[in-house]
């Protein structure tokens, strides 16, 4: 029987690139979104849409029970494609909240419904200064100034919910800054970057990973290493969806 994958945020930047990969690989995909319009678009792609907000704990729990997935993938964020620098702090607060509370609600629903695995989107540019390249065991910048502090606190909460929700096996993908279709960036914005297709590819590979842990998902650079993902997931930063 083919696995059922619930993608929270299926209509988002990574979700739109991930769902066709999962479908082409033979998985059955349930995709959450907050709007009927996006639900219709998901259905046309072959995705089972579920209209729900990850911040609504009880409604989300019901969706997880009914959909009965084998894996939950948390790809929910609350960011516009282009961020107004004057509103960076406002966006940081909103995004950190949906990442953290969304992860807690999804992990809680996974435990209650007996979902064996959860994969969550995190970020790769939250490491504290120190020897480079940073690996997954490198410390995060927990005492960063605002608005970075809010962002780091949000991903710490997300990662703890994902990794410490036994018996659910948790995997965290620390992505570089996105570029490519839907991201608002046609090319890398800095050295800690990843194409949206390669980011989606990492999530698909993680579905079959037999274990738990954190993976940096970034293009080759001097600051951060993705060697763990390359070796254990078989990830390739050059992966692209067909045109």
């Amino acid at each position: 029987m083919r696995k059922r994958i619930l993608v929270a945020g299926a209509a988002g930047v990574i979700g739109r690139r991930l769902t066709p990969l999962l479908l082409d690989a033979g998985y059955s995909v349930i995709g959450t979104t907050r709007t009927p319009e996006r639900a219709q678009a998901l259905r046309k792609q072959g995705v089972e849409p579920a209209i729900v907000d990850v911040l609504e704990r009880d409604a989300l729990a019901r969706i997880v029970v009914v959909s009965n997935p084998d894996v939950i993938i948390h790809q929910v964020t609350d960011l516009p494609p282009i961020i107004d620098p004057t509103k960076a702090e406002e966006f940081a607060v909103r995004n950190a909240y949906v990442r953290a509370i969304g992860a807690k609600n999804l992990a809680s629903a996974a435990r209650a419904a007996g979902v064996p695995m959860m994969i969550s989107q995190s970020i790769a540019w939250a490491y504290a200064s120190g020897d480079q390249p940073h690996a997954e065991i490198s410390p995060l910048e927990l005492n960063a100034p605002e608005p970075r502090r809010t962002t780091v606190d949000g991903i710490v909460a997300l990662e703890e919910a994902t990794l410490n929700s036994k018996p659910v096996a948790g995997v965290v993908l620390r992505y570089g800054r996105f570029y490519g279709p839907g991201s608002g960036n046609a090319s890398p914005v800095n050295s800690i970057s990843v194409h949206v297709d390669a980011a989606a590819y990492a999530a698909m590979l993680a579905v079959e990973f037999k274990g738990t842990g954190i993976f940096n998902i970034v293009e080759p650079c001097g600051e951060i290493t993705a060697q763990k993902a390359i070796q254990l997931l078989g990830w390739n930063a050059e992966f692209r969806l067909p045109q």
Side-chain angles (χ1 to χ4, degrees):
M1 181 180 295
R2 62 180 180 172
K3 285 186 178 179
R4 290 173 59 80
I5 315 297
L6 188 148
V7 180
V13 174
I14 301 302
R16 290 196 299 270
R17 314 303 286 181
L18 174 58
T19 52
L21 279 177
L22 294 171
L23 291 168
D24 287 347
Y27 297 110
S28 177
V29 181
I30 308 100
T32 77
T33 182
R34 292 181 294 177
T35 70
E37 295 77 16
R38 289 187 172 184
Q40 290 179 1
L42 290 172
R43 191 181 299 279
K44 289 179 180 179
Q45 297 172 13
V47 175
E48 296 178 39
I51 301 175
V52 67
D53 191 323
V54 294
L55 300 180
E56 298 174 356
R57 177 172 175 154
D58 292 342
L60 181 66
R62 288 192 292 271
I63 290 292
V64 172
V65 169
V66 170
S67 59
N68 190 30
D70 298 288
V71 181
I72 290 174
I73 303 180
H74 179 10
Q75 295 284 359
V76 181
T77 60
D78 189 359
L79 287 172
I82 301 176
I83 298 177
D84 181 347
T86 65
K87 298 181 179 180
E89 188 166 350
E90 174 187 340
F91 289 129
V93 171
R94 285 166 40 190
N95 197 42
Y97 185 78
V98 76
R99 274 178 168 151
I101 302 303
K104 289 179 181 178
N105 289 347
L106 285 165
S108 175
R111 287 196 305 271
V115 179
M117 185 179 195
M118 178 169 160
I119 301 163
S120 292
Q121 176 192 138
S122 187
I123 61 174
W125 61 91
Y127 290 108
S129 59
D131 294 339
Q132 296 181 349
H134 296 301
E136 290 80 358
I137 61 172
S138 299
L140 301 180
E141 190 179 7
L142 301 179
N143 296 315
E146 293 293 1
R148 180 175 169 84
R149 171 68 177 272
T150 295
T151 297
V152 176
D153 287 348
I155 65 155
V156 167
L158 174 148
E159 293 187 358
E160 287 181 348
T162 303
L163 298 171
N164 299 322
S165 294
K166 294 180 180 179
V168 182
V171 172
V172 169
L173 303 177
R174 288 180 177 169
Y175 289 135
R177 296 187 185 276
F178 297 140
Y179 72 98
S183 68
N185 301 304
S187 58
V189 294
N190 61 27
S191 58
I192 305 175
S193 296
V194 65
H195 191 278
V196 291
D197 290 356
Y201 182 51
M204 187 191 74
L205 292 172
V207 166
E208 297 297 338
F209 180 63
K210 306 301 182 184
T212 65
I214 301 170
F215 295 91
N216 290 330
I217 306 298
V218 298
E219 293 182 348
C221 66
E223 294 100 317
I224 297 172
T225 176
Q227 197 60 35
K228 181 180 176 181
I230 294 168
Q231 291 179 343
L232 297 185
L233 298 182
W235 182 66
N236 182 356
E238 298 299 320
F239 177 87
R240 300 292 185 269
L241 283 166
Q243 295 295 324

